[in-house]
Amino acid sequence: MASESRLSLDSLLEDLALPANALLAKLQRERFQGSGPGGQHRNRTLSAVRLRHPESGLQAEAASHREGGRNLHEALHRLRIALALLAAEQFRSAQKGGEADAAFLRQTQERFRPFRMPINADHDDFPGQCFLSLSWLSLCDAEPKPAAAELRLSPSALTRFFKLEGSLWQMAQRIRSQAGRGQLR
């Protein structure tokens, strides 16, 4: 799912904040036959979905359900998480530290609903909160306590949040490692 992005951070965040239907209108959509087990009709119908974000080159697909609508929803969710991770990576690359970056993140938090726990990884707010949590972790020198304070969470709640999605957990661990910190548990 990783890709080199030609988009600015602001463009990525705008797409991430779009409602599902508006974002779907910007994506290239492809239906194809799923492979493997799953029932009589799965291999005979075009129920699998591949979505591509043309501006970033990111793509996501889902083929685990027999219903095309469920696969579309799952592929869109995966693509939004990939957009959030790319945006967090761009924020980290552009990060200079200090109050300018903190002010940017506080302003960005207003685009998304308030961060809340517990949240289901399938919730529509989850990708935006992925961006915010990783960006605050990065800005706070990979320390969960000040990052969690900015998000109005406890450090343990922030760690539990990172564990909800494998790619989110891996990126949080990478941020910690690159800062010379031990792994989160």
Side-chain angles (χ1 to χ4, degrees), residues 34-35 43 46 51 71 80 83 85 94-95 106 125 127 144 147 149 158 161-162:
S35 62
N43 296 329
L46 300 176
L51 297 176
N71 285 329
R80 290 185 73 220
L83 285 170
L85 297 178
Q95 181 181 326
R106 287 184 189 110
D125 294 341
L158 181 59
F161 176 77
F162 288 140

Side-chain angles (χ1 to χ4, degrees), residues 40-106:
Q40 281 183 312
H41 302 288
R42 179 167 171 198
N43 296 329
R44 289 192 243 165
T45 64
L46 300 176
S47 61
V49 177
R50 182 177 298 117
L51 297 176
R52 186 172 179 282
H53 188 255
E55 294 146 354
S56 67
L58 291 172
Q59 69 178 23
E61 62 182 51
S64 59
H65 304 287
R66 288 174 62 174
E67 300 87 21
R70 287 178 65 188
N71 285 329
L72 178 64
H73 178 74
E74 189 173 311
L76 180 61
H77 183 71
R78 289 176 182 172
L79 185 68
R80 290 185 73 220
I81 289 175
L83 285 170
L85 297 178
L86 180 60
E89 195 63 47
Q90 282 195 0
F91 177 79
R92 287 184 62 220
S93 297
Q95 181 181 326
K96 296 169 186 66
E99 281 305 307
D101 289 331
F104 172 79
L105 282 181
R106 287 184 189 110

Side-chain angles (χ1 to χ4, degrees), residues 61-174:
E61 62 182 51
S64 59
H65 304 287
R66 288 174 62 174
E67 300 87 21
R70 287 178 65 188
N71 285 329
L72 178 64
H73 178 74
E74 189 173 311
L76 180 61
H77 183 71
R78 289 176 182 172
L79 185 68
R80 290 185 73 220
I81 289 175
L83 285 170
L85 297 178
L86 180 60
E89 195 63 47
Q90 282 195 0
F91 177 79
R92 287 184 62 220
S93 297
Q95 181 181 326
K96 296 169 186 66
E99 281 305 307
D101 289 331
F104 172 79
L105 282 181
R106 287 184 189 110
Q107 183 180 24
T108 302
Q109 276 179 259
E110 295 173 11
R111 285 185 182 179
F112 303 104
R113 288 187 183 163
F115 204 99
R116 58 192 171 76
M117 282 297 286
I119 186 169
N120 186 313
D122 293 329
H123 195 278
D124 287 342
D125 294 341
F126 185 77
Q129 294 180 353
C130 289
F131 166 76
L132 291 170
S133 63
L134 290 169
S135 297
W136 277 116
L137 183 67
S138 179
L139 190 61
C140 293
D141 198 29
E143 286 292 345
K145 188 173 183 176
E150 288 290 345
L151 295 166
R152 295 184 176 96
L153 299 172
S154 69
S156 61
L158 181 59
T159 301
R160 284 193 309 274
F161 176 77
F162 288 140
K163 289 179 180 180
L164 291 175
E165 169 68 35
S167 55
L168 177 64
W169 178 248
Q170 289 172 356
M171 190 164 180
Q173 296 290 27
R174 190 170 58 241

